[in-house]
Amino acid sequence: GNCVSGEAAETSAPSWRLLATLRILHLDEEGEGGEALKLISDAKVDPRREVSESNEAAVLATVKTLLEAMLAPYPSSLEADRARLEGAELTGGQRACLTHVASIKQVIEANLAWCNSRSAGLVS
Protein backbone atom coordinates (compact mmCIF):
# COMPACT_ATOMS: atom_id res chain seq x y z
CA GLY A 1 0.00 0.00 0.00
CA ASN A 2 0.90 3.61 -0.44
CA CYS A 3 1.04 5.79 2.68
CA VAL A 4 -0.04 8.84 0.68
CA SER A 5 -3.20 7.16 -0.63
CA GLY A 6 -4.14 5.73 2.75
CA GLU A 7 -4.18 2.11 1.64
CA ALA A 8 -3.30 -0.18 4.54
CA ALA A 9 -1.84 -3.63 4.15
CA GLU A 10 -4.64 -6.09 4.85
CA THR A 11 -2.22 -8.56 6.39
CA SER A 12 -0.86 -6.15 9.00
CA ALA A 13 -0.70 -7.93 12.31
CA PRO A 14 1.94 -8.49 14.95
CA SER A 15 4.27 -11.37 14.15
CA TRP A 16 3.20 -14.80 15.34
CA ARG A 17 6.50 -15.01 17.22
CA LEU A 18 5.67 -11.92 19.27
CA LEU A 19 2.17 -13.24 19.98
CA ALA A 20 3.53 -16.65 21.00
CA THR A 21 6.08 -15.05 23.33
CA LEU A 22 3.42 -12.90 24.97
CA ARG A 23 1.07 -15.88 25.34
CA ILE A 24 3.82 -17.71 27.24
CA LEU A 25 4.53 -14.63 29.37
CA HIS A 26 0.88 -14.21 30.27
CA LEU A 27 0.40 -17.93 31.01
CA ASP A 28 2.65 -17.62 34.04
CA GLU A 29 1.21 -14.26 35.08
CA GLU A 30 -2.38 -15.48 35.05
CA GLY A 31 -1.73 -18.91 36.56
CA GLU A 32 -3.54 -20.75 33.80
CA GLY A 33 -2.98 -24.31 34.86
CA GLY A 34 0.64 -24.34 35.97
CA GLU A 35 4.05 -23.42 34.75
CA ALA A 36 3.98 -22.22 31.16
CA LEU A 37 7.03 -24.17 29.98
CA LYS A 38 5.69 -27.41 31.43
CA LEU A 39 2.35 -26.88 29.70
CA ILE A 40 4.13 -26.28 26.40
CA SER A 41 6.56 -29.20 26.77
CA ASP A 42 3.66 -31.52 27.64
CA ALA A 43 1.93 -30.29 24.46
CA LYS A 44 -1.04 -29.04 26.44
CA VAL A 45 -0.54 -25.51 25.11
CA ASP A 46 0.60 -24.38 21.67
CA PRO A 47 1.57 -20.71 22.01
CA ARG A 48 1.27 -20.25 18.25
CA ARG A 49 -2.49 -20.43 18.77
CA GLU A 50 -4.88 -18.72 21.15
CA VAL A 51 -4.50 -20.32 24.59
CA SER A 52 -7.60 -18.95 26.29
CA GLU A 53 -9.74 -15.83 26.06
CA SER A 54 -8.24 -14.29 29.19
CA ASN A 55 -4.71 -15.03 27.97
CA GLU A 56 -5.47 -13.60 24.53
CA ALA A 57 -7.03 -10.48 26.06
CA ALA A 58 -3.84 -9.92 28.07
CA VAL A 59 -1.68 -10.49 24.97
CA LEU A 60 -3.72 -8.04 22.89
CA ALA A 61 -3.66 -5.43 25.66
CA THR A 62 0.13 -5.73 25.85
CA VAL A 63 0.55 -5.39 22.08
CA LYS A 64 -1.83 -2.42 22.01
CA THR A 65 0.10 -0.69 24.82
CA LEU A 66 3.38 -1.23 22.97
CA LEU A 67 1.96 0.10 19.70
CA GLU A 68 0.44 3.17 21.39
CA ALA A 69 3.81 3.86 23.04
CA MET A 70 5.49 3.69 19.63
CA LEU A 71 2.98 6.14 18.15
CA ALA A 72 2.92 8.61 21.07
CA PRO A 73 6.22 10.46 20.43
CA TYR A 74 5.20 11.58 16.94
CA PRO A 75 4.01 15.20 17.04
CA SER A 76 1.57 14.81 14.14
CA SER A 77 -1.03 12.28 13.07
CA LEU A 78 -0.84 10.06 10.01
CA GLU A 79 -3.71 12.06 8.47
CA ALA A 80 -1.80 15.32 9.00
CA ASP A 81 1.30 13.80 7.41
CA ARG A 82 -0.73 12.64 4.39
CA ALA A 83 -2.24 16.10 4.02
CA ARG A 84 1.19 17.70 4.21
CA LEU A 85 2.54 15.28 1.59
CA GLU A 86 -0.31 16.15 -0.75
CA GLY A 87 -0.37 19.90 -0.27
CA ALA A 88 2.95 21.26 0.86
CA GLU A 89 5.97 22.33 -1.10
CA LEU A 90 8.59 19.90 0.17
CA THR A 91 12.17 19.29 -0.84
CA GLY A 92 13.05 15.78 -1.98
CA GLY A 93 14.65 15.04 1.38
CA GLN A 94 11.69 16.38 3.33
CA ARG A 95 9.29 14.33 1.20
CA ALA A 96 11.39 11.18 1.70
CA CYS A 97 11.56 11.69 5.48
CA LEU A 98 7.85 12.44 5.81
CA THR A 99 6.96 9.46 3.61
CA HIS A 100 9.13 7.22 5.80
CA VAL A 101 7.54 8.48 9.03
CA ALA A 102 4.04 8.17 7.54
CA SER A 103 4.82 4.60 6.51
CA ILE A 104 5.88 3.72 10.06
CA LYS A 105 2.69 5.28 11.45
CA GLN A 106 0.62 3.38 8.88
CA VAL A 107 2.07 0.04 10.01
CA ILE A 108 1.51 0.91 13.67
CA GLU A 109 -2.08 2.04 13.05
CA ALA A 110 -2.84 -1.07 10.96
CA ASN A 111 -1.57 -3.25 13.80
CA LEU A 112 -3.66 -1.27 16.30
CA ALA A 113 -6.72 -1.84 14.11
CA TRP A 114 -5.92 -5.57 14.06
CA CYS A 115 -5.66 -5.61 17.89
CA ASN A 116 -8.93 -3.73 18.27
CA SER A 117 -10.67 -6.07 15.85
CA ARG A 118 -9.37 -9.15 17.65
CA SER A 119 -10.26 -7.67 21.05
CA ALA A 120 -13.80 -6.95 19.89
CA GLY A 121 -14.14 -10.62 18.92
CA LEU A 122 -13.36 -11.82 22.45
CA VAL A 123 -16.26 -12.39 24.80
CA SER A 124 -15.87 -10.22 27.87
Side-chain angles (χ1 to χ4, degrees):
N2 181 331
C3 70
V4 176
S5 69
E7 298 172 20
E10 292 187 22
T11 57
S12 289
S15 81
W16 70 267
R17 288 175 182 89
L18 172 63
L19 295 174
T21 301
L22 291 172
R23 287 176 182 132
I24 293 167
L25 172 75
H26 288 296
L27 269 176
D28 274 341
E29 286 182 0
E30 295 184 14
E32 297 199 23
E35 294 179 15
L37 294 178
K38 179 156 178 42
L39 287 171
I40 293 164
S41 66
D42 293 347
K44 293 179 182 172
V45 170
D46 181 352
R48 294 172 295 177
R49 293 176 179 73
E50 189 175 311
V51 174
S52 69
E53 277 197 17
S54 62
N55 180 272
E56 199 67 8
V59 167
L60 294 173
T62 301
V63 173
K64 186 174 178 180
T65 299
L66 292 170
L67 291 168
E68 288 170 345
M70 292 170 65
L71 201 53
Y74 291 105
S76 62
S77 68
L78 176 58
E79 294 77 24
D81 292 348
R82 286 183 180 141
R84 187 163 177 226
L85 282 166
E86 290 177 11
E89 292 287 326
L90 300 170
T91 65
Q94 289 171 326
R95 181 165 301 281
C97 288
L98 191 53
T99 299
H100 176 72
V101 168
S103 296
I104 292 168
K105 291 177 187 178
Q106 182 177 347
V107 170
I108 294 169
E109 288 187 6
N111 278 269
L112 276 169
W114 180 89
C115 284
N116 290 333
S117 173
R118 290 285 302 246
S119 293
L122 296 175
V123 177
S124 299

